[in-house]
Amino acid sequence: MRAWATAVVALALPAACGRPERPADPLDEAAERLVPAVPAAPWPSIAVPPRVASPDPAAGRADFARLCAPCHGVKGDGRGDLARFLRVPPANLTAGDFKLKSVPAEAAPLDADLFRTLSAGIPPSAMPSFAHLPAAQRWALVDFAKSLSTRFGDAPAAPLDLGPEPPASPAEGARVYRAAGCIACHGEGGRGDGPSARELSPRPPDLTLGPGVFKAGASPRDVLRTLLTGFAG
């Protein structure tokens, strides 16, 4: 119940962020291929189609080299040629840590989680939507990304059970927001200006900018899931 209350107050804190200009660089051609496309839907709403073939990580190798390696690096270690230009560093895929997932914080994401991330992207970071790719290509990229880490050897974890949504209580959420220490990073008013924020890279988001800053969805249920999974990577 405490987590639900915090999710509610996070949404109640009073624009989408524009994409910064790309710096002139010989890598412009690679960057142009990665200009974020409009996602098909927010991350939680992405429909996950069934696989049409058995997993073959090698099938996604060429697409990974063309679309993902410029930021994530050819080894998936987050050291691609474009990484130095990005405000939010690309994830180190070899560590198996991913920001968006539907399972407990300590568990590796589900295949469906990775498919949704490829399809929706992660606004307002540089991670674009690849919803324009056929589903088979996105599944191949999922399998190749998993092959870069040893973290996916265990059986998949069960998705989090968030339970029924209680009545909204912004006042209780505000109390929990303070008691849980959210102010330290996110600040009293949710602007990402807490006393610890200056020590973090990237800085905490300004929650007052609206739904666009909630990477995993902006409903109370979505925010609760984010509170329980955290943001790795």
Side-chain angles (χ1 to χ4, degrees):
M1 186 67 72
R2 288 165 55 90
W4 271 114
T6 308
V8 170
V9 77
L11 291 170
L13 291 168
C17 295
R19 180 158 42 88
E21 295 183 4
R22 276 187 298 110
D25 187 271
L27 296 170
D28 277 356
E29 183 178 349
E32 189 66 30
R33 292 199 304 268
L34 301 172
V35 172
V38 177
W43 188 88
S45 302
I46 292 290
V48 180
R51 293 177 179 271
V52 296
S54 59
D56 179 10
R61 185 184 301 276
D63 280 339
F64 185 90
R66 181 171 62 93
L67 299 172
C68 309
C71 295
H72 291 286
V74 294
K75 298 179 180 179
D77 56 7
R79 298 181 180 182
D81 292 335
L82 296 179
R84 59 195 173 101
F85 297 116
L86 304 180
R87 181 183 64 85
V88 180
N92 177 1
L93 305 181
T94 66
D97 290 331
F98 295 85
K99 289 180 172 63
L100 308 183
K101 57 186 181 180
S102 59
V103 292
E106 66 277 7
L110 303 178
D111 289 5
D113 296 335
L114 300 180
F115 186 93
R116 289 189 179 96
T117 298
L118 278 171
S119 301
I122 308 181
S125 77
M127 174 64 188
S129 163
F130 291 106
H132 61 284
L133 295 179
Q137 281 183 260
R138 280 177 278 165
W139 277 124
L141 281 170
V142 166
D143 293 329
F144 185 79
K146 289 174 60 181
S147 76
L148 298 173
S149 173
T150 60
R151 195 173 178 205
F152 292 93
D154 299 331
L160 288 166
D161 181 4
L162 302 182
E165 184 172 339
S169 177
E172 173 63 9
R175 186 190 68 77
V176 177
Y177 182 85
R178 292 177 175 81
C182 303
I183 289 174
C185 298
H186 290 285
E188 181 75 30
R191 295 186 177 277
D193 56 358
S196 298
R198 63 177 62 91
E199 302 171 10
L200 304 176
S201 179
R203 296 285 290 270
D206 182 347
L207 303 179
T208 70
L209 292 176
V213 302
F214 293 90
K215 298 177 177 63
S219 74
R221 181 170 293 274
D222 296 333
V223 176
L224 172 64
R225 184 179 57 250
T226 297
L227 288 172
L228 296 177
T229 64
F231 275 149

